[in-house]
Amino acid sequence: MSIRRLDETIVNRIAAGEVVERPASVIKELVENAIDAGASRIEIATAGGGKTLMRVIDDGHGMAPAELALAVSRHCTSKLDDGLDAIATLGFRGEALPSIGSVARMRIRARRHGSDTGAEIAVDGGHVDGPRPAPANRGTLVEVRDLFFATPARLKFLKGERAENSAVSDVVKRIAMAFPAIHFTLSGPDRSMLDYSAAGQPEDGLLRRIGQVLGRDFIDNAVPVEAEKEGIRLRGLVGLPSFHRASANQQFAYVNGRPVRDKQILGALRGAYSDMLERGRHAAAVLFIEIDPADVDVNVHPAKADVRFRDPGLVRALIVGGVRRALHEAGVRASTRDGDRLAAAFAAPSEPMRNGSPSPGRAPVTQGWQAPHSAIANGTGFSETAQARFGTAPGAPPASADTADGADTEHPLGAARAQLHGTYILAQTGDSVVLVDQHAAHERLVFEGLKTAMHSRPLPAQMLLVPEIVDLDPERAAELCAMAETLARFGLEIEPFGPGAVAVRATPAMLGETDVAGLIADLSDTLHADAANGGDDAADRLRDRLEAVASTMACHGSVRAGRRMRPAEMDALLRQMERTPGSGTCNHGRPTFIELKLSDIERLFGRR
């Protein structure tokens, strides 16, 4: 078959396959054009999930009649003055409008600043009509109807209206986050309205705009990040490890103001939280990267969702280091969400008492604990001496009244007041009550100690008088023995003992007395699952395996739930948590403590 030039309409439809994937991609292109045109207000409206109607109105520079004809022609743009090496605008390909017009019915109406007359042009399935004079406000109006009417096969692959509306909302939120000085509205008969009023210039209004988009909950549970390395600047907000999400839909990344979904950036963010989140949970973050345009290629993806950095390792190191430093400097903080849940649990509605008795079918409120009848009879049940016994280990000195409001309450986690159910430490600060999970907290402390030691010198080992033989599956035993040299750095010395068994000769001294067989079994499971997951980066792979080993050992070496602790031990644990970065969550991403503010307690009792 001989080579021939394709028809211009077919060429436009092929280009549309790159640019126009769904209604959200059309909105993205049109809104980016409005921003590049200097708009201070952008109004977006959709109907039918965007399949029936999309309208974008801006008050930007507008276009003259002659420019309208060029705007719907391929390879025409107003944004490339310095070539492809230093792109400082959001859009630049010059193909979005002709591509959209080739698969939909599009109408553009515009009026230049300073002009008294406007003009209109229409593109219907690739056929251009106009431009011609028309009344128009200053700026540009682009209306797109019947998306993919010219390519019915592609129309079948669009999702339902709710899913398409959600995708449009996500696009608008991502763009609005980076431009707080612009007023955005998104409306339609089949959606709730979004209205993000202008929040000021980026330096002052960025925090307010993030609050508008993500809500006050994120602002209250995030810490600022600011870092710079070799001319690349990182800034933004990152959520506390305990403020995690079920999906990555609250991760926003920007490169020179351009919203991207770049795998390198999101992978670096996962690395920064690698030992703070449980598997399947995701951090919330808004990150802005400012880099010399010559050091990043934004033209590697038709929709400009991915970018390519000249030095991706440098960018990754900046993100991982910057985020971890920000979380470390934030100190020990609990998620307000956990405190709100605790307050909501206390405030759960219950049946009112009738005639001084609980309603039929409901347990009395005091059923959880009742003083023995003999104690009530002799009047000692609630005496100071009797109450001093609660929350202390056998033989521990009773709590005295003069320590109740001591200086220890000035610490971030306050002073230990009691131990509940042998598992939770109840502490008091100057303005709150703190509930600590003793096992989860100590697990994090041991884990951080193991990580520190593993990067400096081998840990001290505790030799066993008689080597303990642990039977395993032959494949698991081989995997474990292959890591023998690495495990020795942690103080765990093993060697093969025939097929399907290992001999343990020493355990880490810092773990104390431990269940050797349980530790080996858990390590085997961890390493086997880690090997099955695979990975590309050898350095990251080794680090992940070392941290997986440290996490498993920490779980075996931490204070167990059910162990009674003395007041001095509980206070020592609190002080060590305050000195340890990341102690707000255990190695599995669960919170180690929950804080309930005194003001919330007063509201529960109707004092506020």
Side-chain angles (χ1 to χ4, degrees):
M1 182 178 291
S2 59
I3 298 175
R4 68 187 190 281
R5 185 179 296 276
L6 289 173
D7 179 82
E8 186 69 17
T9 301
I10 296 178
V11 171
N12 282 339
R13 289 181 181 176
I14 293 174
E18 296 182 347
V19 178
V20 186
E21 300 173 353
R22 60 194 306 186
S25 57
V26 175
I27 293 295
K28 176 181 180 294
E29 296 288 345
L30 298 182
V31 171
E32 287 180 349
N33 282 342
I35 293 172
D36 285 339
S40 62
R41 181 183 178 90
I42 301 175
E43 301 175 16
I44 306 123
T46 64
K51 293 177 282 188
T52 305
L53 168 70
M54 290 175 282
R55 182 186 299 119
V56 177
I57 305 173
D58 69 73
D59 60 355
H61 303 316
M63 289 180 281
E67 292 176 309
L68 280 177
L70 291 174
V72 296
S73 302
R74 294 191 69 209
H75 305 307
C76 295
T77 183
S78 63
K79 304 175 184 181
L80 285 180
D81 296 325
D82 302 320
L84 293 172
D85 295 330
I87 297 170
T89 57
L90 295 176
F92 59 87
R93 291 170 61 87
E95 297 180 5
L97 291 179
S99 297
I100 295 168
S102 69
V103 294
R105 295 184 173 93
M106 181 175 67
R107 177 172 64 96
I108 306 175
R109 183 176 294 179
R111 177 162 68 90
R112 264 279 186 192
H113 276 213
S115 174
D116 295 331
T117 59
E120 182 181 76
I121 193 170
V123 185
D124 192 338
H127 302 288
V128 180
D129 180 17
R132 55 180 175 270
N137 294 324
R138 188 184 66 182
T140 305
L141 178 151
V142 182
E143 188 175 272
V144 179
R145 292 182 179 272
D146 302 329
L147 183 64
F148 295 141
F149 88 96
T151 52
R154 294 180 64 188
L155 184 63
K156 294 188 299 184
F157 289 94
L158 291 181
K159 297 182 180 180
E161 291 185 8
R162 179 176 297 180
E164 296 299 341
N165 273 333
S166 177
V168 170
S169 298
D170 185 64
V171 163
V172 174
K173 289 176 181 179
R174 288 181 181 274
I175 297 177
M177 200 100 71
F179 299 92
I182 301 177
H183 186 173
F184 291 86
T185 63
L186 172 60
S187 60
D190 52 355
R191 65 161 60 249
S192 57
M193 183 173 180
L194 297 179
D195 189 348
Y196 303 136
S197 59
Q201 294 303 313
E203 294 77 11
D204 305 321
L206 184 60
L207 188 63
R208 288 194 291 273
R209 174 53 58 84
I210 293 175
Q212 288 176 342
V213 176
L214 297 184
R216 189 70 207 176
D217 202 23
F218 174 74
I219 299 296
D220 291 341
N221 292 281
V223 296
V225 55
E226 186 88 25
E228 190 167 353
K229 193 172 187 178
E230 298 184 25
I232 306 176
R233 185 187 177 201
L234 173 71
R235 62 192 178 95
L237 290 173
V238 292
L240 296 171
S242 53
F243 186 75
H244 45 69
R245 318 293 295 184
S247 67
N249 61 2
Q250 281 206 6
Q251 294 179 355
F252 300 83
Y254 301 84
V255 176
N256 292 341
R258 181 191 304 277
V260 297
R261 294 178 179 270
D262 187 72
K263 294 179 181 178
Q264 301 174 62
I265 297 175
L266 299 181
L269 185 61
R270 282 195 303 272
Y273 285 87
S274 61
D275 58 354
M276 304 179 194
L277 298 178
E278 60 181 309
R279 202 176 290 272
R281 305 298 293 182
H282 304 267
V286 181
L287 298 178
F288 294 87
I289 299 173
E290 296 171 12
I291 186 173
D292 186 340
D295 291 334
V296 60
D297 184 359
V298 297
N299 197 25
V300 297
H301 190 278
K304 301 181 284 295
D306 294 325
V307 295
R308 180 176 296 147
F309 296 103
R310 187 186 298 274
D311 189 348
L314 177 62
V315 175
R316 177 182 174 84
L318 176 67
I319 294 173
V320 173
V323 171
R324 291 201 168 191
R325 191 182 314 112
L327 295 174
H328 172 71
E329 292 174 352
V332 56
R333 279 181 56 185
S335 166
T336 60
R337 182 175 56 183
D338 294 328
D340 291 341
R341 288 174 177 171
L342 181 60
F346 279 123
S350 60
E351 292 287 336
M353 297 179 69
R354 298 186 179 92
N355 300 322
S357 302
S359 301
R362 295 186 60 87
V365 178
T366 58
Q367 186 175 350
W369 179 87
Q370 292 184 359
H373 178 76
S374 59
I376 298 175
N378 60 30
T380 62
F382 294 97
S383 67
E384 186 172 321
T385 303
Q387 290 302 300
R389 292 195 303 270
F390 288 93
T392 60
S400 59
D402 59 355
T403 63
D405 296 306
D408 284 347
T409 59
E410 299 304 318
H411 290 288
L413 293 180
R417 292 291 177 248
Q419 186 183 31
L420 309 178
H421 298 285
T423 302
Y424 304 102
I425 298 171
L426 184 66
Q428 173 188 340
T429 73
D431 63 348
S432 66
V433 171
V434 177
L435 197 61
V436 180
D437 183 331
Q438 66 189 41
H439 173 69
H442 197 246
E443 185 177 354
R444 165 59 72 174
L445 301 181
V446 174
F447 177 56
E448 292 297 331
L450 287 167
K451 282 203 307 178
T452 301
M454 107 183 151
H455 294 302
S456 54
R457 65 187 187 282
L459 288 175
Q462 177 177 283
M463 300 299 296
L464 300 180
L465 291 176
V466 179
E468 185 157 346
I469 311 302
V470 181
D471 292 320
L472 295 170
D473 178 89
E475 182 183 354
R476 299 286 187 94
E479 287 177 351
L480 201 60
C481 290
M483 290 283 291
E485 185 177 347
T486 298
L487 295 176
R489 293 170 55 186
F490 290 97
L492 181 65
E493 298 179 11
I494 65 171
E495 60 184 33
F497 192 80
V502 295
V504 182
R505 297 193 174 276
T507 59
M510 71 180 301
L511 299 188
E513 186 177 348
T514 185
D515 176 11
V516 176
L519 173 61
I520 294 298
D522 285 351
L523 279 175
S524 173
D525 291 341
T526 298
L527 293 174
H528 185 75
D530 185 65
N533 289 334
D536 299 324
D537 192 315
D540 290 343
R541 192 91 183 107
L542 177 59
R543 187 202 68 230
D544 291 344
R545 298 201 91 183
L546 290 175
E547 290 187 351
V549 170
S551 177
T552 303
M553 288 187 172
C555 190
H556 278 264
S558 57
V559 174
R560 290 293 176 184
R563 176 191 154 187
R564 303 293 292 175
M565 298 179 68
R566 295 172 179 268
E569 289 179 305
M570 294 188 284
D571 277 323
L573 180 64
L574 298 179
R575 300 294 81 78
Q576 194 174 354
M577 288 177 65
E578 292 163 356
R579 294 191 300 267
T580 304
S583 62
T585 58
C586 72
N587 342 335
H588 311 294
R590 295 187 293 269
T592 58
F593 71 95
I594 297 174
E595 184 175 19
L596 186 62
K597 292 294 184 182
L598 183 60
S599 57
D600 294 327
I601 298 174
E602 290 174 340
R603 275 194 290 270
L604 289 172
F605 284 98
R607 290 180 174 269
R608 286 200 174 193

